[in-house]
Amino acid sequence: MKTIYTSFAEAVAEIQDGSTIMVGGFGLVGIPENLILALVDSQVKHLTVISNNCGVDDWGLGLLLKNKQIDKMIGSYVGENKEFERQVLAGELEVELTPQGTLAERIRAGGAGIPAFYTPAGVGTLIAEGEEVRVFNNKEYLLQTALKADFSLIRAAVGDHAGNLVYNKTARNFNPMMAAAGKVTIAEVEQLVEPGTIDPDHVHTPGIYVQALIEGAQEKRIERLTIRQEA
Amino acid sequence: MKTIYTSFAEAVAEIQDGSTIMVGGFGLVGIPENLILALVDSQVKHLTVISNNCGVDDWGLGLLLKNKQIDKMIGSYVGENKEFERQVLAGELEVELTPQGTLAERIRAGGAGIPAFYTPAGVGTLIAEGEEVRVFNNKEYLLQTALKADFSLIRAAVGDHAGNLVYNKTARNFNPMMAAAGKVTIAEVEQLVEPGTIDPDHVHTPGIYVQALIEGAQEKRIERLTIRQEA
Amino acid sequence: MLNQLDKALVRERIARRAEREIVSGSYVNLGIGMPTMVANYIQGGKQVVLQSENGLLGIGKSPLKEEVDPDLINAGKETVTAQEGASYFSNAESFAMIRGAHLDLAILGGMEVSETGDLANWMIPGKMIKGMGGAMDIVHGAKKIVIIMDHVNKHGTSKILKKCSLPLTGKQVVNRVITDRAVMDVEESGLVLIEIAEGWTVEEIVESTEAELKISEHLRIGTY
Amino acid sequence: MLNQLDKALVRERIARRAEREIVSGSYVNLGIGMPTMVANYIQGGKQVVLQSENGLLGIGKSPLKEEVDPDLINAGKETVTAQEGASYFSNAESFAMIRGAHLDLAILGGMEVSETGDLANWMIPGKMIKGMGGAMDIVHGAKKIVIIMDHVNKHGTSKILKKCSLPLTGKQVVNRVITDRAVMDVEESGLVLIEIAEGWTVEEIVESTEAELKISEHLRIGTY
C-alpha cells in the first residue's frame, strides 16, 4: 500500500531546491542516516531544515551543512558543530533557535491541525521579542505557531507495509511528530515487516502519517560514550 | 512507589462534594467500572464530570446521574441516557457540549501545560458564540482553553507499581489524556504487575501521571453487539 | 412495511453511490448510521483503511460471535474487528489525525445542506440535544467531505437549502452531497448538479431543491 | 592541576548539597553538566525517578561496556541505561510532562541568577550561540527549580545579581540557588540566605553577593 523504496537516491529524488524538510533525531540518535547521505549526494540546495540539532562535523546533518545545502536551520541546540559556527558568523546560514519543548509542540501542532498555541517557555526572554504575550490564569504565555514541512525524513526500528512504525528507546524523540507534520513522510526503518507483524497496541506512528518506507542499516555513532566499570 | 488501594471505597474517599472529576471511556468502553460504583456508594454530590459520554441509564456514569450526584457535565455526546434528558429539561443538570476532538485536545492541553490553543471545530456554529475567533493562513479558528480536574478516574488493562499503564484496543480513548490532566489520577487496572514487566517501549501512560492504582475486574457491558455470521 | 422496505432500498442506493467516492488506497472516516453502511458495499478490489474516531485506524468486519471483544468498538459503539495493519491510539491522536487533514475522505449524514456548503446534522431546536460528537471536528478535517442524506423531508420539503434553518455543524465545509435523487457539488460558483438517480428528471430535481442549482455541462442521468 | 582538583572538589561539594534537595519518591530532571553529576550522589535509600527530556522517564546507571545501546542516551547525549519501571516517549510527550508541571524538581546550571529569580544560563552575547535546548521549557515546568552554580566568576565578581546582565532563560523562575558558598531562596520578600558552606562567614557571603541578601532567621552555617 505504501511506496517501498530500495534506493535511497530514489527515496529523496522528489526533494527539490528550496524545500523545507524535517529530520528526526536527537543528537545522532534516531536520525535517518542513509536518507541524509542520499540528500548529500543529491546536491539539492537552499534547504530549510527543521531538526532539534544539526549533527556533528562529519555525520548526520553536519554533512549537509558542510556541503552548503542548508540556507536556514530551525532547531533548539546546534552547538556540536564547528562548521555551523563558521557559516553563521559568515552570514551564510540563517538560524532560528526555539526552545526544545516549543519546537516539539510546534511540530506536533503542525501535524495535528492546530495552527497556534500558547506556551510559557521564553516569556520575558529574547525570543519573546515581537511575539504575542497573553495572560491566562495570571501567568504569561507566548503564542507559537505550527510548523510543517514539505518532506519529513524519519527513522524507526520497525516499519510495516501499511506504514506503521515502532521506535527503539530514546531513538523515538522527534520522529513521531515529524511523521505527522510532513506533507510527504519518508521513513527509514531498520527492519521492514509484513502488516500484522506489529501488535496494533504497540504502534507508535500509525501508517496514515507515512507515505514511503525504505529499509536501511544504521551505523549509530555514539557522541558521548559513557560507561561504568563492573563493580 | 505508588499508592496501591485494595478497597474502591478508599480509592475514592478523597473526592469531595463539588470536585471536578474526569472519567475515562468512550461509551461504556474503557470506563473505570468499580471506581464509578464506589463513587455512587460514597454519595459525594455536586460533581462536575468531564467525560465524552454519560453512560447509560443503569451503568457507568448513568448511575451517578440517577443518584443526582452530578451538577454539571462536560462531554461531546450524551444521547444514550433518558435520565440525562429529564434532568436537563428539569434544569437540574448543567451541560457543556464540546466537539469530541476539541474535548480531547482541551484535556491534553490541561495535562501538557498549554493554557489554550486554536482549532477549526465549531467555527460559524452555535458553540462559537462568545468565543474568540482568529484567522491563521486565511482560515478561521476558535480559541479553546485547557481542561483540568481535581481527580481523574481512568481504566487500563495493565498497570505496574511504578504507575505505568497499558490500554487494550479502543479502551484507550480518553484515558491517557485524563491521566495527565488530573491533579490526582486513580487508575483502575485489570491486572497489576511488578515494575519491569511492561516493556518501556510499550508504555502508553508513563507512571508520573498516575498517583494511585487499584486492581478491579470489569463487566465490560456491550452497548451495540454487532456480529457477522460465519460465511 | 412496504414503505419500510422502500426506505431500506433507498438507503442502500445512497450507500452504494457513496461507495464510489472511495478511492482504493485511501483513508476514510464513515459517520454513524447510514454512512457506516457504506462499508458493506466496498468493492472487493479496493484497499481502504477506515478510521474510527474513538481510536482505531483499520476497522475490520463485524466480529464472529466468538471474536467479540468488548474493548473493541467503532465510533457508533458497535463491536468491530481490526484489519491486518491496524493501529490503536487515543482520542487526542485520533483527532490530531482528523484535524491535521490526514484522512482523504469523510462520508457523513446530513439533516440540511446549504448551497454554500454549510452543514446541519447535530441538533433540532426544541428537541433534546444529544451532542455533536466528533462531527464538528471531522467536517474541518478530511480532505473531502461527502454528505449523504434524503433529498426532501417527510413532508416533501427540500433539505438542500439556500441557507440552513437548523444550527450548523460547520460552515462552508461540504464538498459533495449525495441524496436519493441526485449528486451535487459545492463549487465556488454555487451548487452544481452533476448526477441524477434512476427514475428522476432534471426538472424534478430542480423543483425539489430549494437551493439554486446550476446544471453541470457534464450532467449524467440514471447513474445510480 | 591542583586548581583543577580544587574545582572538581568544589563541584562535588555543590552536587552533594544539591542531592539533599531530592526527596524520595520524586520525579527529577537534572540539567546537562554539573547537575547530571548530582545523580552520582543520590543516597541509597532514596527512590528517585530521573527524567531525561529527550524521552525517558527512569534513567538508570551508566551502562557496562557490553550494555551500551546507541539508541539509549540522556539529554546530554551520554549513553545510559533505563531503570526497572522506565518508559520511553516522544519529545512532545516529554515536554508535555515538563510543561504540565508533573516533575517535582529540576536542578539546572546557571550563569547568573537575579534576586527576583531570573535565570541566565544559555547565551553570552558575542560568543557563538549554541541554543537553549530544553532549559526555557524546564524552568517553567518543574514544581521546584534549583540552580547550582559558582558564587562568583573567575574575576571574583558576583554571579548572584540584582539584575541579570546576560540574556535570560526565564524570568522569575528560580526557587533556590546553591553555590559553592551558600544556599539562597527566592521569596516574595527577596533573596534569602538560608545556608552557608563550610569555611565561609555571613560577611563574606554578603560581600561576594551583588544581590540584596536577607539573612534567614533560621540561617545554618557549615551545612556542606
Side-chain angles (χ1 to χ4, degrees):
Chain A
M1 261 175 50
K2 300 293 176 181
T3 305
I4 308 291
Y5 290 109
T6 50
S7 143
F8 284 96
E10 271 178 46
V12 302
E14 283 178 40
I15 302 178
Q16 295 181 343
D17 288 2
S19 289
T20 294
I21 63 170
M22 288 183 181
V23 184
F26 179 95
L28 299 179
V29 172
I31 61 172
E33 298 183 2
N34 298 291
L35 288 172
I36 294 171
L37 289 169
L39 216 48
V40 173
D41 289 341
S42 80
Q43 298 293 339
V44 65
K45 296 258 187 283
H46 305 303
L47 296 172
T48 293
V49 176
I50 302 170
S51 190
N52 190 56
N53 313 99
C54 200
V56 294
D57 278 322
D58 63 345
W59 195 238
L61 292 175
L63 299 171
L64 279 179
L65 200 68
K66 191 152 70 176
N67 208 21
K68 299 192 178 167
Q69 294 175 267
I70 306 178
D71 277 10
K72 182 177 179 180
M73 177 73 208
I74 301 176
S76 89
Y77 189 82
V78 290
E80 316 288 3
N81 194 311
K82 288 200 188 70
E83 173 65 11
F84 192 96
E85 180 163 355
R86 196 199 61 71
Q87 290 187 19
V88 171
L89 295 176
E92 295 167 21
L93 177 64
E94 188 185 345
V95 190
E96 182 180 322
L97 288 171
T98 185
Q100 193 182 140
T102 299
L103 180 65
E105 191 68 12
R106 290 178 71 191
I107 297 168
R108 181 199 177 260
I114 301 288
F117 61 90
Y118 292 90
T119 177
V123 167
T125 77
L126 274 183
I127 69 149
E129 282 173 16
E131 301 281 334
E132 175 181 321
V133 176
R134 184 158 173 169
V135 174
F136 294 94
N137 302 318
N138 299 316
K139 191 174 152 127
E140 289 184 326
Y141 296 87
L142 288 186
L143 181 70
Q144 296 287 324
T145 54
L147 285 172
K148 288 190 183 193
D150 299 317
F151 296 88
S152 283
L153 308 183
I154 63 165
R155 196 190 86 199
V158 184
D160 70 19
H161 287 258
N164 295 305
L165 303 179
V166 173
Y167 307 97
N168 184 44
K169 302 190 174 79
T170 57
R172 194 180 319 181
N173 56 62
F174 283 85
N175 285 298
M177 296 82 78
M178 288 182 173
K183 273 180 219 130
V184 175
T185 291
I186 306 164
E188 177 170 344
V189 299
E190 296 177 60
Q191 198 194 351
L192 188 63
V193 300
E194 292 300 316
T197 312
I198 304 172
D199 182 332
D201 268 325
H202 296 167
V203 170
H204 294 139
T205 289
I208 192 170
Y209 295 128
V210 176
Q211 279 67 52
L213 298 98
I214 183 164
E215 206 174 51
Q218 308 295 312
E219 262 191 41
K220 299 194 182 178
R221 292 200 192 170
I222 293 174
E223 279 185 83
R224 304 230 171 102
L225 181 67
T226 306
I227 55 174
R228 77 175 197 277
Q229 305 303 322
E230 197 86 56
Chain B
M1 264 175 50
K2 301 291 176 181
T3 306
I4 309 291
Y5 290 109
T6 50
S7 143
F8 285 95
E10 270 179 46
V12 302
E14 283 178 41
I15 302 178
Q16 295 181 342
D17 288 0
S19 290
T20 294
I21 63 169
M22 289 185 181
V23 183
F26 180 94
L28 299 179
V29 172
I31 61 172
E33 298 183 1
N34 298 292
L35 287 172
I36 294 172
L37 290 169
L39 216 48
V40 173
D41 288 341
S42 81
Q43 299 293 340
V44 65
K45 295 259 186 282
H46 306 303
L47 296 172
T48 292
V49 176
I50 302 170
S51 191
N52 189 57
N53 312 99
C54 200
V56 294
D57 279 321
D58 63 344
W59 194 236
L61 292 175
L63 298 171
L64 279 180
L65 199 67
K66 192 152 68 175
N67 208 21
K68 300 193 178 168
Q69 294 175 269
I70 306 178
D71 276 9
K72 181 176 178 180
M73 176 75 208
I74 301 176
S76 89
Y77 189 82
V78 291
E80 317 287 5
N81 195 311
K82 288 199 188 74
E83 173 64 11
F84 193 94
E85 181 165 355
R86 195 200 61 72
Q87 290 187 20
V88 171
L89 296 176
E92 295 168 21
L93 177 64
E94 188 186 346
V95 190
E96 183 181 322
L97 288 170
T98 185
Q100 194 182 139
T102 299
L103 181 64
E105 191 67 13
R106 290 178 71 191
I107 297 168
R108 181 200 177 260
I114 302 287
F117 61 90
Y118 291 91
T119 178
V123 167
T125 75
L126 273 183
I127 68 149
E129 282 173 16
E131 301 281 333
E132 176 181 320
V133 177
R134 184 159 172 170
V135 174
F136 295 94
N137 303 317
N138 300 316
K139 191 175 151 123
E140 289 183 328
Y141 295 87
L142 288 187
L143 181 70
Q144 295 288 324
T145 53
L147 286 173
K148 289 192 184 192
D150 299 316
F151 296 88
S152 283
L153 308 183
I154 63 165
R155 196 190 84 199
V158 184
D160 69 19
H161 287 258
N164 295 304
L165 303 179
V166 173
Y167 307 98
N168 184 44
K169 302 190 175 78
T170 56
R172 195 180 317 182
N173 55 63
F174 283 84
N175 285 298
M177 295 82 76
M178 288 180 174
K183 273 181 221 130
V184 174
T185 292
I186 307 164
E188 177 170 343
V189 300
E190 296 178 59
Q191 198 193 350
L192 188 63
V193 299
E194 291 301 316
T197 312
I198 304 173
D199 181 334
D201 269 325
H202 296 168
V203 170
H204 293 140
T205 289
I208 193 171
Y209 296 128
V210 176
Q211 279 66 52
L213 299 97
I214 183 164
E215 206 174 51
Q218 308 295 313
E219 264 192 40
K220 298 194 183 178
R221 292 199 192 170
I222 294 174
E223 277 185 84
R224 304 230 171 103
L225 180 68
T226 307
I227 55 174
R228 76 174 198 278
Q229 305 302 322
E230 197 87 57
Chain C
M1 183 60 207
L2 185 67
N3 198 359
Q4 286 229 336
L5 196 67
D6 280 357
K7 238 180 180 167
L9 282 171
V10 164
R11 285 164 70 88
E12 184 180 328
R13 177 191 260 193
I14 297 176
R16 283 186 187 279
R17 174 58 191 83
E19 186 276 336
R20 295 188 207 156
E21 301 295 316
I22 299 176
V23 176
S24 186
S26 64
Y27 292 93
V28 181
N29 181 291
L30 300 176
I32 294 164
M34 184 161 57
T36 300
M37 280 177 52
V38 175
N40 301 335
Y41 304 107
I42 295 177
Q43 298 294 308
K46 287 186 191 173
Q47 286 197 322
V48 181
V49 181
L50 299 178
Q51 199 246 21
S52 192
E53 62 262 31
N54 54 318
L56 164 59
L57 189 66
I59 307 175
K61 295 177 187 172
S62 297
L64 293 170
K65 204 175 166 191
E66 61 271 24
E67 285 175 337
V68 168
D69 182 338
D71 281 343
L72 180 45
I73 60 166
N74 65 15
K77 288 152 196 160
E78 297 165 335
T79 47
V80 293
T81 61
Q83 270 182 339
E84 210 162 72
S87 55
Y88 301 109
F89 34 81
S90 72
N91 275 60
E93 181 67 41
S94 181
F95 281 93
M97 197 178 278
I98 289 168
R99 204 188 298 105
H102 299 282
L103 294 174
D104 298 294
L105 171 68
I107 301 177
L108 305 173
M111 294 172 179
E112 293 178 351
V113 169
S114 84
E115 59 190 43
T116 56
D118 296 352
L119 169 69
N121 76 349
W122 77 285
M123 73 172 276
I124 300 174
K127 283 208 181 176
M128 176 62 190
I129 302 170
K130 294 184 169 188
M132 66 292 280
M136 284 193 183
D137 307 274
I138 295 172
V139 294
H140 287 281
K143 286 168 197 149
K144 185 174 182 182
I145 305 293
V146 172
I147 304 301
I148 59 177
M149 59 191 290
D150 291 329
H151 205 95
V152 299
N153 67 18
K154 59 184 172 185
H155 308 295
T157 313
S158 175
K159 298 172 79 161
I160 315 295
L161 305 168
K162 288 188 193 305
K163 201 168 178 303
C164 292
S165 67
L166 296 171
L168 298 185
T169 304
K171 217 173 151 67
Q172 297 176 26
V173 293
V174 177
N175 298 108
R176 177 167 287 184
V177 189
I178 299 172
T179 74
D180 51 316
R181 300 183 184 183
V183 181
M184 293 147 285
D185 277 355
V186 180
E187 301 198 349
E188 290 280 315
S189 62
L191 196 63
V192 180
L193 179 66
I194 60 165
E195 287 180 42
I196 294 180
E198 277 174 26
W200 298 91
T201 66
V202 176
E203 292 69 30
E204 284 170 328
I205 299 299
V206 170
E207 199 166 309
S208 62
T209 306
E210 190 211 270
E212 177 119 5
L213 265 189
K214 297 185 197 323
I215 316 296
S216 168
E217 285 176 36
H218 310 291
L219 175 70
R220 292 186 301 152
I221 294 176
T223 51
Y224 66 106
Chain D
M1 184 61 210
L2 184 68
N3 198 359
Q4 287 230 335
L5 195 69
D6 280 356
K7 238 181 181 166
L9 282 173
V10 165
R11 286 163 70 89
E12 183 180 328
R13 177 191 261 193
I14 296 176
R16 283 187 186 278
R17 174 58 191 83
E19 185 276 337
R20 295 187 207 155
E21 301 295 316
I22 300 176
V23 175
S24 186
S26 62
Y27 292 94
V28 181
N29 181 292
L30 299 176
I32 294 164
M34 183 161 56
T36 300
M37 280 176 51
V38 175
N40 301 334
Y41 304 107
I42 295 178
Q43 297 295 308
K46 287 188 191 172
Q47 286 196 323
V48 181
V49 181
L50 299 177
Q51 199 247 22
S52 193
E53 62 263 32
N54 55 318
L56 164 59
L57 189 67
I59 307 175
K61 294 178 187 174
S62 297
L64 293 171
K65 204 174 166 190
E66 61 272 22
E67 286 175 337
V68 168
D69 182 338
D71 282 344
L72 180 46
I73 61 167
N74 66 14
K77 287 150 196 161
E78 298 165 334
T79 47
V80 293
T81 60
Q83 269 182 339
E84 208 162 72
S87 54
Y88 301 110
F89 34 81
S90 72
N91 274 62
E93 181 67 41
S94 181
F95 281 93
M97 198 178 279
I98 289 168
R99 205 189 298 106
H102 300 281
L103 294 173
D104 298 295
L105 171 68
I107 300 177
L108 305 172
M111 294 173 179
E112 293 178 351
V113 168
S114 85
E115 61 191 42
T116 56
D118 297 352
L119 170 69
N121 75 351
W122 77 284
M123 73 173 277
I124 300 173
K127 283 209 181 176
M128 177 60 191
I129 301 169
K130 295 185 168 187
M132 66 293 280
M136 284 193 184
D137 306 274
I138 294 171
V139 293
H140 287 281
K143 285 168 199 150
K144 184 173 182 183
I145 304 293
V146 173
I147 304 301
I148 59 177
M149 60 191 289
D150 291 329
H151 205 96
V152 299
N153 66 19
K154 58 185 172 185
H155 307 295
T157 313
S158 175
K159 298 171 79 163
I160 315 295
L161 305 168
K162 287 188 192 306
K163 200 170 177 303
C164 292
S165 67
L166 296 171
L168 298 185
T169 304
K171 217 175 152 64
Q172 297 176 25
V173 293
V174 177
N175 299 108
R176 177 167 288 185
V177 189
I178 299 172
T179 74
D180 51 315
R181 300 184 184 183
V183 180
M184 293 147 285
D185 277 354
V186 181
E187 300 198 350
E188 291 279 315
S189 61
L191 196 63
V192 181
L193 179 66
I194 61 165
E195 286 180 42
I196 295 180
E198 277 175 26
W200 298 91
T201 65
V202 176
E203 293 68 30
E204 284 169 328
I205 299 300
V206 170
E207 199 165 310
S208 62
T209 306
E210 190 212 271
E212 178 118 5
L213 265 188
K214 297 186 195 325
I215 315 296
S216 168
E217 286 176 38
H218 310 290
L219 176 69
R220 293 187 300 153
I221 295 175
T223 50
Y224 65 107

